[in-house]
């Protein structure tokens, strides 16, 4: 019942999962500020200009009040009014398939 997304990352992160040498993490898409839906934003210039956050990697961004969450920092709020991290989705590997098995924190 919680919208979430799974991201492939360049390195291992806390709470993430490794499968076949690839690193993954999953997060709730519910912004911890006021509940809008965050998205993976790959436009680094837009993140710098519109969200006032400079990064070399895609970030999870919220369009409502411009919060930015860093998937490489376990979903930490790194810019904007949000201060709490996105909830992480617990992942498990079963016979080579990745399953979401719950939310790790509130
Ligand atoms: Fe996401 Fe306000 S609801 S920044």
């Amino acid at each position: 019942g919680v919208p979430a997304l799974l991201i492939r990352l360049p390195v291992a992160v806390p709470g993430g999962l490794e499968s076949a040498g690839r690193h993954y993490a999953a997060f709730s898409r519910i912004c911890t500020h006021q509940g809008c839906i965050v998205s993976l934003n790959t436009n680094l210039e837009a993140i710098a200009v519109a969200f006032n956050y400079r990064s070399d990697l895609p970030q999870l961004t919220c369009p409502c009040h411009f919060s930015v969450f860093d998937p490489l920092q376990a979903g930490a709020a790194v810019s904007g009014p949000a201060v709490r991290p996105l909830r992480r989705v617990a992942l498990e590997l079963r016979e080579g398939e990745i399953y979401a098995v719950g939310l790790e924190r509130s």
Side-chain angles (χ1 to χ4, degrees), residues 29-39 41 50-51 60-69 79-82:
R29 293 184 65 196
I30 305 295
C31 180
T32 57
H33 178 229
Q34 290 183 357
C36 290
I37 299 296
V38 304
S39 298
N41 190 335
F51 293 85
L60 298 165
T61 58
C62 180
C64 289
H65 311 101
F66 304 103
S67 285
V68 180
F69 302 88
S79 184

Side-chain angles (χ1 to χ4, degrees), residues 17-73:
L17 180 86
E18 181 181 346
S19 175
R22 295 177 175 157
H23 304 285
Y24 300 92
F27 301 94
S28 162
R29 293 184 65 196
I30 305 295
C31 180
T32 57
H33 178 229
Q34 290 183 357
C36 290
I37 299 296
V38 304
S39 298
L40 181 65
N41 190 335
T42 60
N43 186 331
L44 303 182
E45 191 61 26
I47 295 170
V49 173
F51 293 85
N52 197 28
Y53 185 73
R54 177 96 31 210
S55 174
D56 294 332
L57 294 170
Q59 301 291 313
L60 298 165
T61 58
C62 180
C64 289
H65 311 101
F66 304 103
S67 285
V68 180
F69 302 88
D70 188 346
L72 290 181
Q73 297 183 49

Side-chain angles (χ1 to χ4, degrees), residues 5 11 13-14 16 20-21 36 40 44 49 55 74-75 79 86 95-96 98 105:
L5 52 76
V11 296
V13 297
C36 290
L40 181 65
L44 303 182
V49 173
S55 174
S79 184
L86 294 174
E95 300 179 4
I98 298 173
R105 61 178 178 233

Side-chain angles (χ1 to χ4, degrees), residues 6 17-20 24 90-101:
L6 176 72
L17 180 86
E18 181 181 346
S19 175
Y24 300 92
L91 300 173
E92 282 185 11
L93 192 62
R94 300 177 190 162
E95 300 179 4
E97 306 259 334
I98 298 173
Y99 287 86
V101 295

